[in-house]
Amino acid sequence: MNVVSWIIFIGLCVEAGSFIFNAVFSVCINPYAAHYFKLRELLDYDYGYFIVVLIFSCIAATLKAILFYLIVKVLHERKINIEAPFTEELIKYLSKMSYVILGIAIFSFWGQKYLGWIASKGIKMSDTELLRISGADVWFFMFITLYIIVLIFKRGVEMQFENELTI
């Protein structure tokens, strides 16, 4: 599990880095590099719209890398203990992960809506899958599921603490 998490984390870091590098390169140095995102037509239409789309993509990609950093950190530091799974430290990590997932869901949703709004103006747009901002509903569902697990773990810590006091 640790190795797979590291591989995914490195891949997401490369993806986020390539998005950020190509965004800065397209905006500052060579506007023709917008072909990387297949947003050349949007750049020709409006420079500001182009930058906003890139910001949504970069934020979503960066949050995904941060999410897997937290997963790698939990696995590397061995915070998951099978004998005593209800710990405050694990709840802290799971809470952070759930809020990062919520951030991914929000920025993906905003990015999808923004791209839809731009497409309604008649501008040819690339797919949300190419920009890595699709699946906001899945990310939101994952947030709700993980948040419920965090609440269950919090109750488990309370019960474990009460049990230790009784003995």
Side-chain angles (χ1 to χ4, degrees):
M1 192 69 137
N2 199 3
V3 173
V4 172
S5 297
W6 269 104
I7 291 170
I8 294 172
F9 171 64
I10 291 169
L12 288 172
C13 285
V14 168
E15 179 182 283
S18 72
F19 265 79
I20 293 170
F21 173 78
N22 284 311
V24 170
F25 190 76
S26 297
V27 170
C28 297
I29 298 171
N30 185 5
Y32 292 105
H35 289 293
Y36 174 79
F37 302 106
K38 295 189 175 32
L39 294 174
R40 182 70 189 147
E41 201 170 306
L42 177 63
L43 180 63
D44 291 338
Y45 181 76
D46 190 275
Y47 195 69
Y49 292 168
F50 176 73
I51 290 174
V52 171
V53 169
L54 291 182
I55 287 172
F56 281 130
S57 297
C58 290
I59 289 174
T62 304
L63 286 175
K64 290 174 190 175
I66 290 170
L67 173 66
F68 268 87
Y69 169 74
L70 290 173
I71 292 171
V72 164
K73 191 173 177 182
V74 166
L75 292 175
H76 180 70
E77 293 176 358
R78 302 191 192 284
K79 297 295 180 190
I80 301 173
N81 185 0
I82 301 300
E83 286 92 35
F86 301 106
T87 62
E88 288 287 333
E89 206 164 356
L90 184 60
I91 290 172
K92 184 174 72 171
Y93 278 115
L94 290 175
S95 295
K96 284 180 187 178
M97 287 170 37
S98 68
Y99 291 125
V100 170
I101 290 171
L102 178 63
I104 295 168
I106 289 171
F107 282 103
S108 295
F109 179 76
W110 283 345
Q112 286 174 345
K113 292 298 180 187
Y114 192 74
L115 286 175
W117 177 73
I118 291 173
S120 71
K121 293 181 173 280
I123 303 166
K124 184 180 174 189
M125 296 294 301
S126 65
D127 290 336
T128 56
E129 289 87 20
L130 178 69
L131 295 172
R132 305 290 194 264
I133 55 174
S134 62
D137 52 346
V138 175
W139 287 107
F140 189 68
F141 178 73
M142 188 184 298
F143 162 72
I144 290 172
T145 305
L146 190 58
Y147 191 72
I148 289 171
I149 291 171
V150 167
L151 293 177
I152 291 169
F153 268 65
K154 280 184 181 179
R155 181 64 185 136
V157 166
E158 291 172 6
M159 290 174 63
Q160 186 174 339
F161 183 70
E162 289 173 4
N163 191 18
E164 289 173 359
L165 288 178
T166 332
I167 296 175

mmCIF file of all heavy atoms in Angstrom, residues 23-60:
data_model
loop_
_atom_site.group_PDB
_atom_site.id
_atom_site.type_symbol
_atom_site.label_atom_id
_atom_site.label_comp_id
_atom_site.label_asym_id
_atom_site.label_seq_id
_atom_site.Cartn_x
_atom_site.Cartn_y
_atom_site.Cartn_z
ATOM 1 N N ALA A 23 1.092 26.564 -17.334
ATOM 2 C CA ALA A 23 0.235 27.733 -17.149
ATOM 3 C C ALA A 23 1.078 29.002 -17.097
ATOM 4 O O ALA A 23 0.777 29.989 -17.782
ATOM 5 C CB ALA A 23 -0.595 27.586 -15.879
ATOM 6 N N VAL A 24 2.127 28.980 -16.294
ATOM 7 C CA VAL A 24 3.004 30.152 -16.193
ATOM 8 C C VAL A 24 3.687 30.416 -17.529
ATOM 9 O O VAL A 24 3.778 31.569 -17.980
ATOM 10 C CB VAL A 24 4.048 29.952 -15.068
ATOM 11 C CG1 VAL A 24 5.107 31.035 -15.097
ATOM 12 C CG2 VAL A 24 3.356 29.913 -13.712
ATOM 13 N N PHE A 25 4.135 29.367 -18.206
ATOM 14 C CA PHE A 25 4.791 29.513 -19.502
ATOM 15 C C PHE A 25 3.826 30.092 -20.531
ATOM 16 O O PHE A 25 4.201 30.969 -21.319
ATOM 17 C CB PHE A 25 5.333 28.153 -19.974
ATOM 18 C CG PHE A 25 6.223 28.230 -21.171
ATOM 19 C CD1 PHE A 25 7.528 28.670 -21.053
ATOM 20 C CD2 PHE A 25 5.752 27.860 -22.425
ATOM 21 C CE1 PHE A 25 8.359 28.749 -22.159
ATOM 22 C CE2 PHE A 25 6.572 27.929 -23.531
ATOM 23 C CZ PHE A 25 7.884 28.384 -23.399
ATOM 24 N N SER A 26 2.576 29.633 -20.512
ATOM 25 C CA SER A 26 1.583 30.132 -21.466
ATOM 26 C C SER A 26 1.222 31.584 -21.195
ATOM 27 O O SER A 26 1.018 32.356 -22.128
ATOM 28 C CB SER A 26 0.301 29.303 -21.398
ATOM 29 O OG SER A 26 0.533 27.987 -21.752
ATOM 30 N N VAL A 27 1.135 31.950 -19.931
ATOM 31 C CA VAL A 27 0.709 33.297 -19.577
ATOM 32 C C VAL A 27 1.854 34.299 -19.733
ATOM 33 O O VAL A 27 1.662 35.389 -20.258
ATOM 34 C CB VAL A 27 0.152 33.323 -18.133
ATOM 35 C CG1 VAL A 27 -0.066 34.737 -17.656
ATOM 36 C CG2 VAL A 27 -1.134 32.526 -18.055
ATOM 37 N N CYS A 28 3.049 33.929 -19.301
ATOM 38 C CA CYS A 28 4.153 34.889 -19.243
ATOM 39 C C CYS A 28 5.061 34.898 -20.470
ATOM 40 O O CYS A 28 5.551 35.957 -20.866
ATOM 41 C CB CYS A 28 5.004 34.622 -18.008
ATOM 42 S SG CYS A 28 4.114 34.842 -16.478
ATOM 43 N N ILE A 29 5.320 33.750 -21.060
ATOM 44 C CA ILE A 29 6.360 33.677 -22.079
ATOM 45 C C ILE A 29 5.804 33.464 -23.482
ATOM 46 O O ILE A 29 6.031 34.260 -24.381
ATOM 47 C CB ILE A 29 7.378 32.572 -21.720
ATOM 48 C CG1 ILE A 29 8.041 32.918 -20.399
ATOM 49 C CG2 ILE A 29 8.411 32.401 -22.826
ATOM 50 C CD1 ILE A 29 8.899 31.853 -19.808
ATOM 51 N N ASN A 30 5.074 32.378 -23.669
ATOM 52 C CA ASN A 30 4.633 32.005 -25.009
ATOM 53 C C ASN A 30 3.157 31.630 -24.990
ATOM 54 O O ASN A 30 2.809 30.530 -24.585
ATOM 55 C CB ASN A 30 5.475 30.825 -25.524
ATOM 56 C CG ASN A 30 5.169 30.444 -26.940
ATOM 57 O OD1 ASN A 30 4.394 31.103 -27.617
ATOM 58 N ND2 ASN A 30 5.784 29.376 -27.389
ATOM 59 N N PRO A 31 2.290 32.517 -25.443
ATOM 60 C CA PRO A 31 0.858 32.216 -25.427
ATOM 61 C C PRO A 31 0.481 31.030 -26.320
ATOM 62 O O PRO A 31 -0.569 30.425 -26.124
ATOM 63 C CB PRO A 31 0.202 33.489 -25.941
ATOM 64 C CG PRO A 31 1.241 34.528 -25.974
ATOM 65 C CD PRO A 31 2.565 33.866 -25.894
ATOM 66 N N TYR A 32 1.331 30.683 -27.262
ATOM 67 C CA TYR A 32 1.024 29.549 -28.138
ATOM 68 C C TYR A 32 1.165 28.215 -27.417
ATOM 69 O O TYR A 32 0.763 27.187 -27.924
ATOM 70 C CB TYR A 32 1.915 29.573 -29.381
ATOM 71 C CG TYR A 32 1.591 30.741 -30.271
ATOM 72 C CD1 TYR A 32 2.423 31.848 -30.327
ATOM 73 C CD2 TYR A 32 0.418 30.753 -31.019
ATOM 74 C CE1 TYR A 32 2.105 32.934 -31.130
ATOM 75 C CE2 TYR A 32 0.097 31.832 -31.812
ATOM 76 C CZ TYR A 32 0.949 32.920 -31.868
ATOM 77 O OH TYR A 32 0.623 33.984 -32.642
ATOM 78 N N ALA A 33 1.715 28.244 -26.211
ATOM 79 C CA ALA A 33 1.805 27.021 -25.417
ATOM 80 C C ALA A 33 0.448 26.622 -24.852
ATOM 81 O O ALA A 33 0.320 25.589 -24.211
ATOM 82 C CB ALA A 33 2.814 27.199 -24.282
ATOM 83 N N ALA A 34 -0.571 27.402 -25.122
ATOM 84 C CA ALA A 34 -1.932 27.076 -24.686
ATOM 85 C C ALA A 34 -2.440 25.827 -25.389
ATOM 86 O O ALA A 34 -3.450 25.257 -24.984
ATOM 87 C CB ALA A 34 -2.875 28.243 -24.955
ATOM 88 N N HIS A 35 -1.732 25.386 -26.418
ATOM 89 C CA HIS A 35 -2.116 24.138 -27.108
ATOM 90 C C HIS A 35 -1.977 22.938 -26.169
ATOM 91 O O HIS A 35 -2.637 21.927 -26.375
ATOM 92 C CB HIS A 35 -1.253 23.916 -28.357
ATOM 93 C CG HIS A 35 -1.572 24.885 -29.452
ATOM 94 N ND1 HIS A 35 -2.779 24.880 -30.105
ATOM 95 C CD2 HIS A 35 -0.849 25.886 -29.990
ATOM 96 C CE1 HIS A 35 -2.786 25.839 -31.016
ATOM 97 N NE2 HIS A 35 -1.620 26.470 -30.965
ATOM 98 N N TYR A 36 -1.131 23.037 -25.153
ATOM 99 C CA TYR A 36 -0.980 21.954 -24.178
ATOM 100 C C TYR A 36 -2.313 21.660 -23.500
ATOM 101 O O TYR A 36 -2.648 20.520 -23.237
ATOM 102 C CB TYR A 36 0.078 22.335 -23.137
ATOM 103 C CG TYR A 36 0.221 21.343 -22.008
ATOM 104 C CD1 TYR A 36 0.944 20.164 -22.188
ATOM 105 C CD2 TYR A 36 -0.363 21.573 -20.770
ATOM 106 C CE1 TYR A 36 1.072 19.243 -21.153
ATOM 107 C CE2 TYR A 36 -0.230 20.666 -19.735
ATOM 108 C CZ TYR A 36 0.485 19.502 -19.933
ATOM 109 O OH TYR A 36 0.605 18.602 -18.917
ATOM 110 N N PHE A 37 -3.069 22.717 -23.212
ATOM 111 C CA PHE A 37 -4.362 22.571 -22.552
ATOM 112 C C PHE A 37 -5.514 22.476 -23.548
ATOM 113 O O PHE A 37 -6.658 22.336 -23.138
ATOM 114 C CB PHE A 37 -4.614 23.762 -21.624
ATOM 115 C CG PHE A 37 -3.574 23.965 -20.572
ATOM 116 C CD1 PHE A 37 -2.653 24.991 -20.667
ATOM 117 C CD2 PHE A 37 -3.515 23.120 -19.482
ATOM 118 C CE1 PHE A 37 -1.705 25.177 -19.693
ATOM 119 C CE2 PHE A 37 -2.563 23.306 -18.504
ATOM 120 C CZ PHE A 37 -1.647 24.333 -18.609
ATOM 121 N N LYS A 38 -5.214 22.626 -24.828
ATOM 122 C CA LYS A 38 -6.229 22.695 -25.885
ATOM 123 C C LYS A 38 -7.200 23.848 -25.609
ATOM 124 O O LYS A 38 -8.412 23.715 -25.766
ATOM 125 C CB LYS A 38 -6.961 21.368 -26.035
ATOM 126 C CG LYS A 38 -6.064 20.245 -26.510
ATOM 127 C CD LYS A 38 -6.864 19.018 -26.840
ATOM 128 C CE LYS A 38 -6.105 17.892 -27.436
ATOM 129 N NZ LYS A 38 -4.801 17.601 -27.163
ATOM 130 N N LEU A 39 -6.626 24.973 -25.211
ATOM 131 C CA LEU A 39 -7.412 26.165 -24.899
ATOM 132 C C LEU A 39 -6.986 27.365 -25.738
ATOM 133 O O LEU A 39 -7.168 28.512 -25.331
ATOM 134 C CB LEU A 39 -7.276 26.509 -23.411
ATOM 135 C CG LEU A 39 -7.847 25.531 -22.407
ATOM 136 C CD1 LEU A 39 -7.508 25.956 -20.986
ATOM 137 C CD2 LEU A 39 -9.348 25.421 -22.575
ATOM 138 N N ARG A 40 -6.425 27.117 -26.891
ATOM 139 C CA ARG A 40 -5.945 28.205 -27.733
ATOM 140 C C ARG A 40 -7.087 29.143 -28.141
ATOM 141 O O ARG A 40 -6.935 30.356 -28.142
ATOM 142 C CB ARG A 40 -5.244 27.629 -28.970
ATOM 143 C CG ARG A 40 -4.677 28.649 -29.877
ATOM 144 C CD ARG A 40 -3.488 29.329 -29.243
ATOM 145 N NE ARG A 40 -3.140 30.449 -30.086
ATOM 146 C CZ ARG A 40 -2.639 31.567 -29.634
ATOM 147 N NH1 ARG A 40 -2.397 31.708 -28.371
ATOM 148 N NH2 ARG A 40 -2.355 32.544 -30.437
ATOM 149 N N GLU A 41 -8.234 28.570 -28.456
ATOM 150 C CA GLU A 41 -9.372 29.383 -28.862
ATOM 151 C C GLU A 41 -9.862 30.265 -27.709
ATOM 152 O O GLU A 41 -10.257 31.409 -27.914
ATOM 153 C CB GLU A 41 -10.501 28.479 -29.360
ATOM 154 C CG GLU A 41 -11.492 29.184 -30.250
ATOM 155 C CD GLU A 41 -12.437 28.202 -30.905
ATOM 156 O OE1 GLU A 41 -11.965 27.253 -31.540
ATOM 157 O OE2 GLU A 41 -13.654 28.413 -30.766
ATOM 158 N N LEU A 42 -9.825 29.729 -26.494
ATOM 159 C CA LEU A 42 -10.209 30.518 -25.323
ATOM 160 C C LEU A 42 -9.219 31.654 -25.100
ATOM 161 O O LEU A 42 -9.624 32.773 -24.780
ATOM 162 C CB LEU A 42 -10.288 29.630 -24.086
ATOM 163 C CG LEU A 42 -10.612 30.330 -22.768
ATOM 164 C CD1 LEU A 42 -11.990 30.966 -22.816
ATOM 165 C CD2 LEU A 42 -10.512 29.359 -21.606
ATOM 166 N N LEU A 43 -7.942 31.392 -25.267
ATOM 167 C CA LEU A 43 -6.926 32.428 -25.105
ATOM 168 C C LEU A 43 -7.128 33.537 -26.125
ATOM 169 O O LEU A 43 -7.003 34.721 -25.805
ATOM 170 C CB LEU A 43 -5.527 31.838 -25.218
ATOM 171 C CG LEU A 43 -4.372 32.828 -25.069
ATOM 172 C CD1 LEU A 43 -4.374 33.437 -23.678
ATOM 173 C CD2 LEU A 43 -3.057 32.139 -25.340
ATOM 174 N N ASP A 44 -7.469 33.160 -27.349
ATOM 175 C CA ASP A 44 -7.721 34.173 -28.372
ATOM 176 C C ASP A 44 -8.969 34.999 -28.057
ATOM 177 O O ASP A 44 -9.038 36.174 -28.380
ATOM 178 C CB ASP A 44 -7.885 33.514 -29.749
ATOM 179 C CG ASP A 44 -6.578 32.915 -30.255
ATOM 180 O OD1 ASP A 44 -5.496 33.341 -29.780
ATOM 181 O OD2 ASP A 44 -6.634 32.010 -31.119
ATOM 182 N N TYR A 45 -9.957 34.370 -27.404
ATOM 183 C CA TYR A 45 -11.199 35.068 -27.073
ATOM 184 C C TYR A 45 -10.998 36.032 -25.909
ATOM 185 O O TYR A 45 -11.345 37.207 -26.006
ATOM 186 C CB TYR A 45 -12.298 34.048 -26.742
ATOM 187 C CG TYR A 45 -13.616 34.673 -26.408
ATOM 188 C CD1 TYR A 45 -14.431 35.199 -27.395
ATOM 189 C CD2 TYR A 45 -14.039 34.761 -25.081
ATOM 190 C CE1 TYR A 45 -15.647 35.788 -27.080
ATOM 191 C CE2 TYR A 45 -15.245 35.341 -24.754
ATOM 192 C CZ TYR A 45 -16.056 35.853 -25.755
ATOM 193 O OH TYR A 45 -17.249 36.433 -25.436
ATOM 194 N N ASP A 46 -10.457 35.533 -24.805
ATOM 195 C CA ASP A 46 -10.261 36.385 -23.634
ATOM 196 C C ASP A 46 -9.133 35.834 -22.770
ATOM 197 O O ASP A 46 -9.160 34.673 -22.376
ATOM 198 C CB ASP A 46 -11.550 36.477 -22.812
ATOM 199 C CG ASP A 46 -11.452 37.535 -21.727
ATOM 200 O OD1 ASP A 46 -10.936 37.207 -20.638
ATOM 201 O OD2 ASP A 46 -11.872 38.672 -21.973
ATOM 202 N N TYR A 47 -8.172 36.670 -22.483
ATOM 203 C CA TYR A 47 -7.008 36.300 -21.691
ATOM 204 C C TYR A 47 -7.393 36.000 -20.243
ATOM 205 O O TYR A 47 -6.870 35.075 -19.623
ATOM 206 C CB TYR A 47 -6.004 37.453 -21.762
ATOM 207 C CG TYR A 47 -4.618 37.131 -21.313
ATOM 208 C CD1 TYR A 47 -3.815 36.282 -22.056
ATOM 209 C CD2 TYR A 47 -4.095 37.690 -20.150
ATOM 210 C CE1 TYR A 47 -2.520 35.991 -21.649
ATOM 211 C CE2 TYR A 47 -2.808 37.412 -19.741
ATOM 212 C CZ TYR A 47 -2.032 36.561 -20.491
ATOM 213 O OH TYR A 47 -0.765 36.273 -20.095
ATOM 214 N N GLY A 48 -8.318 36.770 -19.682
ATOM 215 C CA GLY A 48 -8.745 36.587 -18.300
ATOM 216 C C GLY A 48 -9.462 35.264 -18.084
ATOM 217 O O GLY A 48 -9.240 34.585 -17.080
ATOM 218 N N TYR A 49 -10.333 34.880 -19.017
ATOM 219 C CA TYR A 49 -11.027 33.589 -18.920
ATOM 220 C C TYR A 49 -10.023 32.449 -18.932
ATOM 221 O O TYR A 49 -10.162 31.469 -18.201
ATOM 222 C CB TYR A 49 -12.011 33.394 -20.075
ATOM 223 C CG TYR A 49 -13.219 34.301 -20.064
ATOM 224 C CD1 TYR A 49 -14.041 34.394 -21.165
ATOM 225 C CD2 TYR A 49 -13.553 35.072 -18.951
ATOM 226 C CE1 TYR A 49 -15.160 35.205 -21.178
ATOM 227 C CE2 TYR A 49 -14.664 35.885 -18.948
ATOM 228 C CZ TYR A 49 -15.455 35.945 -20.065
ATOM 229 O OH TYR A 49 -16.559 36.750 -20.054
ATOM 230 N N PHE A 50 -9.015 32.589 -19.788
ATOM 231 C CA PHE A 50 -7.967 31.575 -19.896
ATOM 232 C C PHE A 50 -7.241 31.406 -18.563
ATOM 233 O O PHE A 50 -7.030 30.295 -18.089
ATOM 234 C CB PHE A 50 -6.994 31.966 -21.007
ATOM 235 C CG PHE A 50 -5.818 31.056 -21.161
ATOM 236 C CD1 PHE A 50 -5.966 29.798 -21.714
ATOM 237 C CD2 PHE A 50 -4.558 31.456 -20.758
ATOM 238 C CE1 PHE A 50 -4.883 28.954 -21.864
ATOM 239 C CE2 PHE A 50 -3.464 30.629 -20.906
ATOM 240 C CZ PHE A 50 -3.633 29.373 -21.454
ATOM 241 N N ILE A 51 -6.899 32.512 -17.927
ATOM 242 C CA ILE A 51 -6.175 32.461 -16.654
ATOM 243 C C ILE A 51 -7.043 31.829 -15.566
ATOM 244 O O ILE A 51 -6.552 31.020 -14.768
ATOM 245 C CB ILE A 51 -5.699 33.873 -16.242
ATOM 246 C CG1 ILE A 51 -4.585 34.330 -17.188
ATOM 247 C CG2 ILE A 51 -5.212 33.902 -14.800
ATOM 248 C CD1 ILE A 51 -4.140 35.759 -16.980
ATOM 249 N N VAL A 52 -8.323 32.153 -15.521
ATOM 250 C CA VAL A 52 -9.207 31.590 -14.498
ATOM 251 C C VAL A 52 -9.325 30.078 -14.662
ATOM 252 O O VAL A 52 -9.280 29.330 -13.683
ATOM 253 C CB VAL A 52 -10.593 32.275 -14.537
ATOM 254 C CG1 VAL A 52 -11.582 31.563 -13.639
ATOM 255 C CG2 VAL A 52 -10.479 33.730 -14.133
ATOM 256 N N VAL A 53 -9.451 29.600 -15.897
ATOM 257 C CA VAL A 53 -9.523 28.156 -16.145
ATOM 258 C C VAL A 53 -8.236 27.485 -15.688
ATOM 259 O O VAL A 53 -8.265 26.414 -15.061
ATOM 260 C CB VAL A 53 -9.810 27.866 -17.636
ATOM 261 C CG1 VAL A 53 -9.619 26.398 -17.954
ATOM 262 C CG2 VAL A 53 -11.220 28.295 -17.998
ATOM 263 N N LEU A 54 -7.099 28.103 -15.970
ATOM 264 C CA LEU A 54 -5.819 27.534 -15.530
ATOM 265 C C LEU A 54 -5.701 27.525 -14.015
ATOM 266 O O LEU A 54 -5.159 26.573 -13.435
ATOM 267 C CB LEU A 54 -4.657 28.320 -16.141
ATOM 268 C CG LEU A 54 -4.465 28.179 -17.632
ATOM 269 C CD1 LEU A 54 -3.247 28.978 -18.077
ATOM 270 C CD2 LEU A 54 -4.327 26.741 -18.045
ATOM 271 N N ILE A 55 -6.212 28.542 -13.360
ATOM 272 C CA ILE A 55 -6.159 28.587 -11.898
ATOM 273 C C ILE A 55 -6.977 27.446 -11.300
ATOM 274 O O ILE A 55 -6.519 26.760 -10.379
ATOM 275 C CB ILE A 55 -6.629 29.960 -11.378
ATOM 276 C CG1 ILE A 55 -5.563 31.016 -11.671
ATOM 277 C CG2 ILE A 55 -6.943 29.918 -9.883
ATOM 278 C CD1 ILE A 55 -5.994 32.433 -11.385
ATOM 279 N N PHE A 56 -8.183 27.217 -11.830
ATOM 280 C CA PHE A 56 -8.997 26.098 -11.339
ATOM 281 C C PHE A 56 -8.271 24.769 -11.529
ATOM 282 O O PHE A 56 -8.246 23.923 -10.633
ATOM 283 C CB PHE A 56 -10.349 26.047 -12.051
ATOM 284 C CG PHE A 56 -11.352 27.035 -11.534
ATOM 285 C CD1 PHE A 56 -12.039 27.858 -12.405
ATOM 286 C CD2 PHE A 56 -11.617 27.138 -10.183
ATOM 287 C CE1 PHE A 56 -12.969 28.762 -11.938
ATOM 288 C CE2 PHE A 56 -12.551 28.043 -9.705
ATOM 289 C CZ PHE A 56 -13.231 28.861 -10.586
ATOM 290 N N SER A 57 -7.660 24.574 -12.693
ATOM 291 C CA SER A 57 -6.952 23.324 -12.968
ATOM 292 C C SER A 57 -5.743 23.149 -12.060
ATOM 293 O O SER A 57 -5.512 22.055 -11.536
ATOM 294 C CB SER A 57 -6.498 23.277 -14.428
ATOM 295 O OG SER A 57 -7.591 23.287 -15.285
ATOM 296 N N CYS A 58 -4.981 24.209 -11.864
ATOM 297 C CA CYS A 58 -3.787 24.125 -11.021
ATOM 298 C C CYS A 58 -4.149 23.875 -9.558
ATOM 299 O O CYS A 58 -3.490 23.074 -8.883
ATOM 300 C CB CYS A 58 -2.955 25.398 -11.152
ATOM 301 S SG CYS A 58 -2.146 25.582 -12.750
ATOM 302 N N ILE A 59 -5.188 24.530 -9.073
ATOM 303 C CA ILE A 59 -5.590 24.333 -7.676
ATOM 304 C C ILE A 59 -6.071 22.906 -7.459
ATOM 305 O O ILE A 59 -5.692 22.252 -6.481
ATOM 306 C CB ILE A 59 -6.660 25.360 -7.257
ATOM 307 C CG1 ILE A 59 -6.031 26.746 -7.149
ATOM 308 C CG2 ILE A 59 -7.304 24.965 -5.937
ATOM 309 C CD1 ILE A 59 -7.018 27.865 -6.892
ATOM 310 N N ALA A 60 -6.900 22.391 -8.377
ATOM 311 C CA ALA A 60 -7.405 21.020 -8.233
ATOM 312 C C ALA A 60 -6.258 20.011 -8.277
ATOM 313 O O ALA A 60 -6.208 19.076 -7.468
ATOM 314 C CB ALA A 60 -8.442 20.719 -9.315
#
